[in-house]
mmCIF file of all heavy atoms in Angstrom:
data_model
loop_
_atom_site.group_PDB
_atom_site.id
_atom_site.type_symbol
_atom_site.label_atom_id
_atom_site.label_comp_id
_atom_site.label_asym_id
_atom_site.label_seq_id
_atom_site.Cartn_x
_atom_site.Cartn_y
_atom_site.Cartn_z
ATOM 1 N N ASP A 340 -20.715 -17.157 -14.526
ATOM 2 C CA ASP A 340 -21.922 -17.983 -14.497
ATOM 3 C C ASP A 340 -23.179 -17.130 -14.650
ATOM 4 O O ASP A 340 -24.021 -17.382 -15.517
ATOM 5 C CB ASP A 340 -21.966 -18.762 -13.182
ATOM 6 C CG ASP A 340 -23.143 -19.711 -13.111
ATOM 7 O OD1 ASP A 340 -23.621 -20.146 -14.170
ATOM 8 O OD2 ASP A 340 -23.595 -20.020 -11.987
ATOM 9 N N LYS A 341 -23.307 -16.093 -13.810
ATOM 10 C CA LYS A 341 -24.442 -15.170 -13.868
ATOM 11 C C LYS A 341 -23.910 -13.752 -13.988
ATOM 12 O O LYS A 341 -22.857 -13.426 -13.439
ATOM 13 C CB LYS A 341 -25.292 -15.287 -12.600
ATOM 14 C CG LYS A 341 -25.915 -16.654 -12.382
ATOM 15 C CD LYS A 341 -26.784 -16.659 -11.122
ATOM 16 C CE LYS A 341 -25.934 -16.377 -9.882
ATOM 17 N NZ LYS A 341 -26.749 -16.447 -8.632
ATOM 18 N N GLU A 342 -24.661 -12.895 -14.688
ATOM 19 C CA GLU A 342 -24.149 -11.541 -14.920
ATOM 20 C C GLU A 342 -23.974 -10.758 -13.622
ATOM 21 O O GLU A 342 -23.097 -9.901 -13.517
ATOM 22 C CB GLU A 342 -25.054 -10.771 -15.887
ATOM 23 C CG GLU A 342 -24.359 -9.516 -16.413
ATOM 24 C CD GLU A 342 -25.143 -8.802 -17.483
ATOM 25 O OE1 GLU A 342 -26.318 -8.477 -17.239
ATOM 26 O OE2 GLU A 342 -24.570 -8.549 -18.567
ATOM 27 N N SER A 343 -24.783 -11.052 -12.609
ATOM 28 C CA SER A 343 -24.623 -10.352 -11.330
ATOM 29 C C SER A 343 -23.283 -10.661 -10.684
ATOM 30 O O SER A 343 -22.802 -9.906 -9.827
ATOM 31 C CB SER A 343 -25.756 -10.726 -10.369
ATOM 32 O OG SER A 343 -25.762 -12.126 -10.125
ATOM 33 N N ASP A 344 -22.641 -11.770 -11.091
ATOM 34 C CA ASP A 344 -21.319 -12.119 -10.561
ATOM 35 C C ASP A 344 -20.246 -11.125 -11.016
ATOM 36 O O ASP A 344 -19.160 -11.080 -10.442
ATOM 37 C CB ASP A 344 -20.905 -13.525 -11.015
ATOM 38 C CG ASP A 344 -21.770 -14.618 -10.409
ATOM 39 O OD1 ASP A 344 -22.535 -14.326 -9.476
ATOM 40 O OD2 ASP A 344 -21.682 -15.767 -10.888
ATOM 41 N N VAL A 345 -20.551 -10.345 -12.049
ATOM 42 C CA VAL A 345 -19.596 -9.361 -12.563
ATOM 43 C C VAL A 345 -19.172 -8.387 -11.471
ATOM 44 O O VAL A 345 -17.987 -8.046 -11.354
ATOM 45 C CB VAL A 345 -20.204 -8.608 -13.771
ATOM 46 C CG1 VAL A 345 -19.421 -7.334 -14.075
ATOM 47 C CG2 VAL A 345 -20.233 -9.519 -14.990
ATOM 48 N N ARG A 346 -20.133 -7.941 -10.683
ATOM 49 C CA ARG A 346 -19.802 -7.001 -9.596
ATOM 50 C C ARG A 346 -18.910 -7.665 -8.560
ATOM 51 O O ARG A 346 -17.898 -7.096 -8.131
ATOM 52 C CB ARG A 346 -21.086 -6.489 -8.938
ATOM 53 C CG ARG A 346 -20.834 -5.577 -7.729
ATOM 54 C CD ARG A 346 -22.134 -5.097 -7.102
ATOM 55 N NE ARG A 346 -21.890 -4.421 -5.842
ATOM 56 C CZ ARG A 346 -22.455 -4.732 -4.688
ATOM 57 N NH1 ARG A 346 -23.309 -5.741 -4.620
ATOM 58 N NH2 ARG A 346 -22.167 -4.056 -3.592
ATOM 59 N N PHE A 347 -19.268 -8.857 -8.138
ATOM 60 C CA PHE A 347 -18.505 -9.567 -7.109
ATOM 61 C C PHE A 347 -17.079 -9.836 -7.573
ATOM 62 O O PHE A 347 -16.106 -9.546 -6.873
ATOM 63 C CB PHE A 347 -19.207 -10.883 -6.766
ATOM 64 C CG PHE A 347 -18.568 -11.656 -5.641
ATOM 65 C CD1 PHE A 347 -18.985 -11.459 -4.334
ATOM 66 C CD2 PHE A 347 -17.561 -12.575 -5.888
ATOM 67 C CE1 PHE A 347 -18.402 -12.164 -3.285
ATOM 68 C CE2 PHE A 347 -16.971 -13.285 -4.855
ATOM 69 C CZ PHE A 347 -17.385 -13.083 -3.552
ATOM 70 N N VAL A 348 -16.955 -10.365 -8.772
ATOM 71 C CA VAL A 348 -15.634 -10.750 -9.280
ATOM 72 C C VAL A 348 -14.801 -9.527 -9.646
ATOM 73 O O VAL A 348 -13.633 -9.410 -9.272
ATOM 74 C CB VAL A 348 -15.778 -11.684 -10.496
ATOM 75 C CG1 VAL A 348 -14.418 -11.970 -11.117
ATOM 76 C CG2 VAL A 348 -16.454 -12.988 -10.093
ATOM 77 N N GLY A 349 -15.406 -8.595 -10.393
ATOM 78 C CA GLY A 349 -14.659 -7.447 -10.890
ATOM 79 C C GLY A 349 -14.283 -6.447 -9.823
ATOM 80 O O GLY A 349 -13.105 -6.126 -9.635
ATOM 81 N N TYR A 350 -15.291 -5.957 -9.095
ATOM 82 C CA TYR A 350 -15.003 -4.903 -8.114
ATOM 83 C C TYR A 350 -14.219 -5.448 -6.927
ATOM 84 O O TYR A 350 -13.244 -4.834 -6.477
ATOM 85 C CB TYR A 350 -16.301 -4.252 -7.628
ATOM 86 C CG TYR A 350 -16.058 -2.909 -6.955
ATOM 87 C CD1 TYR A 350 -16.046 -1.743 -7.706
ATOM 88 C CD2 TYR A 350 -15.823 -2.816 -5.587
ATOM 89 C CE1 TYR A 350 -15.815 -0.505 -7.102
ATOM 90 C CE2 TYR A 350 -15.586 -1.596 -4.985
ATOM 91 C CZ TYR A 350 -15.586 -0.451 -5.740
ATOM 92 O OH TYR A 350 -15.340 0.765 -5.135
ATOM 93 N N LEU A 351 -14.616 -6.608 -6.412
ATOM 94 C CA LEU A 351 -13.892 -7.167 -5.268
ATOM 95 C C LEU A 351 -12.489 -7.637 -5.646
ATOM 96 O O LEU A 351 -11.596 -7.674 -4.792
ATOM 97 C CB LEU A 351 -14.676 -8.325 -4.648
ATOM 98 C CG LEU A 351 -15.792 -7.942 -3.684
ATOM 99 C CD1 LEU A 351 -16.334 -9.187 -2.979
ATOM 100 C CD2 LEU A 351 -15.341 -6.923 -2.646
ATOM 101 N N GLY A 352 -12.284 -7.961 -6.914
ATOM 102 C CA GLY A 352 -10.929 -8.266 -7.362
ATOM 103 C C GLY A 352 -10.026 -7.061 -7.197
ATOM 104 O O GLY A 352 -8.888 -7.171 -6.718
ATOM 105 N N ALA A 353 -10.546 -5.891 -7.568
ATOM 106 C CA ALA A 353 -9.780 -4.656 -7.418
ATOM 107 C C ALA A 353 -9.575 -4.313 -5.949
ATOM 108 O O ALA A 353 -8.493 -3.851 -5.546
ATOM 109 C CB ALA A 353 -10.500 -3.512 -8.134
ATOM 110 N N VAL A 354 -10.609 -4.522 -5.126
ATOM 111 C CA VAL A 354 -10.486 -4.240 -3.697
ATOM 112 C C VAL A 354 -9.441 -5.154 -3.050
ATOM 113 O O VAL A 354 -8.657 -4.722 -2.199
ATOM 114 C CB VAL A 354 -11.858 -4.403 -2.993
ATOM 115 C CG1 VAL A 354 -11.697 -4.407 -1.476
ATOM 116 C CG2 VAL A 354 -12.794 -3.277 -3.405
ATOM 117 N N GLY A 355 -9.431 -6.421 -3.457
ATOM 118 C CA GLY A 355 -8.420 -7.338 -2.929
ATOM 119 C C GLY A 355 -7.022 -6.854 -3.250
ATOM 120 O O GLY A 355 -6.120 -6.894 -2.407
ATOM 121 N N GLU A 356 -6.829 -6.382 -4.473
ATOM 122 C CA GLU A 356 -5.515 -5.887 -4.867
ATOM 123 C C GLU A 356 -5.160 -4.607 -4.114
ATOM 124 O O GLU A 356 -4.022 -4.415 -3.694
ATOM 125 C CB GLU A 356 -5.486 -5.639 -6.364
ATOM 126 C CG GLU A 356 -4.100 -5.303 -6.872
ATOM 127 C CD GLU A 356 -4.035 -5.324 -8.378
ATOM 128 O OE1 GLU A 356 -4.502 -4.366 -9.011
ATOM 129 O OE2 GLU A 356 -3.510 -6.302 -8.925
ATOM 130 N N GLY A 357 -6.146 -3.725 -3.924
ATOM 131 C CA GLY A 357 -5.895 -2.517 -3.149
ATOM 132 C C GLY A 357 -5.514 -2.840 -1.714
ATOM 133 O O GLY A 357 -4.650 -2.171 -1.120
ATOM 134 N N SER A 358 -6.128 -3.886 -1.147
ATOM 135 C CA SER A 358 -5.799 -4.302 0.217
ATOM 136 C C SER A 358 -4.355 -4.781 0.308
ATOM 137 O O SER A 358 -3.670 -4.532 1.309
ATOM 138 C CB SER A 358 -6.740 -5.435 0.660
ATOM 139 O OG SER A 358 -8.087 -5.028 0.617
ATOM 140 N N LEU A 359 -3.895 -5.456 -0.740
ATOM 141 C CA LEU A 359 -2.506 -5.911 -0.771
ATOM 142 C C LEU A 359 -1.551 -4.722 -0.874
ATOM 143 O O LEU A 359 -0.509 -4.688 -0.209
ATOM 144 C CB LEU A 359 -2.305 -6.863 -1.952
ATOM 145 C CG LEU A 359 -0.894 -7.420 -2.166
ATOM 146 C CD1 LEU A 359 -0.383 -8.117 -0.910
ATOM 147 C CD2 LEU A 359 -0.880 -8.370 -3.352
ATOM 148 N N SER A 360 -1.908 -3.738 -1.682
ATOM 149 C CA SER A 360 -1.074 -2.541 -1.804
ATOM 150 C C SER A 360 -1.023 -1.765 -0.488
ATOM 151 O O SER A 360 0.019 -1.225 -0.111
ATOM 152 C CB SER A 360 -1.606 -1.634 -2.915
ATOM 153 O OG SER A 360 -1.381 -2.216 -4.177
ATOM 154 N N LEU A 361 -2.163 -1.700 0.193
ATOM 155 C CA LEU A 361 -2.207 -1.017 1.492
ATOM 156 C C LEU A 361 -1.288 -1.715 2.488
ATOM 157 O O LEU A 361 -0.536 -1.058 3.233
ATOM 158 C CB LEU A 361 -3.650 -1.002 2.009
ATOM 159 C CG LEU A 361 -3.879 -0.359 3.383
ATOM 160 C CD1 LEU A 361 -3.467 1.103 3.379
ATOM 161 C CD2 LEU A 361 -5.355 -0.491 3.789
ATOM 162 N N ALA A 362 -1.327 -3.040 2.513
ATOM 163 C CA ALA A 362 -0.448 -3.798 3.404
ATOM 164 C C ALA A 362 1.020 -3.563 3.057
ATOM 165 O O ALA A 362 1.876 -3.469 3.945
ATOM 166 C CB ALA A 362 -0.772 -5.291 3.308
ATOM 167 N N THR A 363 1.306 -3.461 1.757
ATOM 168 C CA THR A 363 2.682 -3.199 1.322
ATOM 169 C C THR A 363 3.175 -1.859 1.833
ATOM 170 O O THR A 363 4.311 -1.732 2.320
ATOM 171 C CB THR A 363 2.763 -3.237 -0.216
ATOM 172 O OG1 THR A 363 2.379 -4.527 -0.681
ATOM 173 C CG2 THR A 363 4.167 -2.918 -0.694
ATOM 174 N N ILE A 364 2.333 -0.841 1.727
ATOM 175 C CA ILE A 364 2.715 0.490 2.203
ATOM 176 C C ILE A 364 3.026 0.458 3.695
ATOM 177 O O ILE A 364 4.040 0.997 4.156
ATOM 178 C CB ILE A 364 1.599 1.513 1.898
ATOM 179 C CG1 ILE A 364 1.499 1.740 0.382
ATOM 180 C CG2 ILE A 364 1.854 2.837 2.620
ATOM 181 C CD1 ILE A 364 0.319 2.586 -0.037
ATOM 182 N N ILE A 365 2.147 -0.196 4.471
ATOM 183 C CA ILE A 365 2.361 -0.261 5.928
ATOM 184 C C ILE A 365 3.648 -1.011 6.247
ATOM 185 O O ILE A 365 4.428 -0.595 7.113
ATOM 186 C CB ILE A 365 1.152 -0.930 6.613
ATOM 187 C CG1 ILE A 365 -0.085 -0.032 6.480
ATOM 188 C CG2 ILE A 365 1.446 -1.224 8.080
ATOM 189 C CD1 ILE A 365 -1.367 -0.670 6.971
ATOM 190 N N ALA A 366 3.898 -2.117 5.526
ATOM 191 C CA ALA A 366 5.122 -2.884 5.767
ATOM 192 C C ALA A 366 6.358 -2.049 5.480
ATOM 193 O O ALA A 366 7.355 -2.109 6.212
ATOM 194 C CB ALA A 366 5.123 -4.140 4.905
ATOM 195 N N CYS A 367 6.286 -1.252 4.424
ATOM 196 C CA CYS A 367 7.459 -0.486 3.995
ATOM 197 C C CYS A 367 7.704 0.756 4.842
ATOM 198 O O CYS A 367 8.859 1.148 5.036
ATOM 199 C CB CYS A 367 7.317 -0.076 2.533
ATOM 200 S SG CYS A 367 7.426 -1.445 1.363
ATOM 201 N N VAL A 368 6.643 1.398 5.321
ATOM 202 C CA VAL A 368 6.835 2.671 6.040
ATOM 203 C C VAL A 368 6.812 2.511 7.552
ATOM 204 O O VAL A 368 7.204 3.428 8.282
ATOM 205 C CB VAL A 368 5.779 3.724 5.614
ATOM 206 C CG1 VAL A 368 5.808 3.935 4.116
ATOM 207 C CG2 VAL A 368 4.379 3.340 6.079
ATOM 208 N N ALA A 369 6.344 1.350 8.035
ATOM 209 C CA ALA A 369 6.302 1.117 9.478
ATOM 210 C C ALA A 369 7.017 -0.167 9.869
ATOM 211 O O ALA A 369 7.766 -0.197 10.848
ATOM 212 C CB ALA A 369 4.850 1.078 9.968
ATOM 213 N N GLY A 370 6.806 -1.243 9.099
ATOM 214 C CA GLY A 370 7.381 -2.540 9.451
ATOM 215 C C GLY A 370 8.894 -2.543 9.491
ATOM 216 O O GLY A 370 9.500 -3.151 10.382
ATOM 217 N N VAL A 371 9.527 -1.854 8.522
ATOM 218 C CA VAL A 371 10.990 -1.865 8.496
ATOM 219 C C VAL A 371 11.580 -1.201 9.739
ATOM 220 O O VAL A 371 12.721 -1.475 10.121
ATOM 221 C CB VAL A 371 11.535 -1.177 7.220
ATOM 222 C CG1 VAL A 371 11.172 -1.963 5.987
ATOM 223 C CG2 VAL A 371 11.043 0.258 7.110
#
Side-chain angles (χ1 to χ4, degrees):
D340 184 26
K341 298 182 297 183
E342 195 174 54
S343 60
D344 293 348
V345 164
R346 176 180 171 235
F347 184 91
V348 174
Y350 197 89
L351 278 189
V354 168
E356 188 169 77
S358 301
L359 179 55
S360 290
L361 178 61
T363 299
I364 291 172
I365 293 173
C367 291
V368 304
V371 294

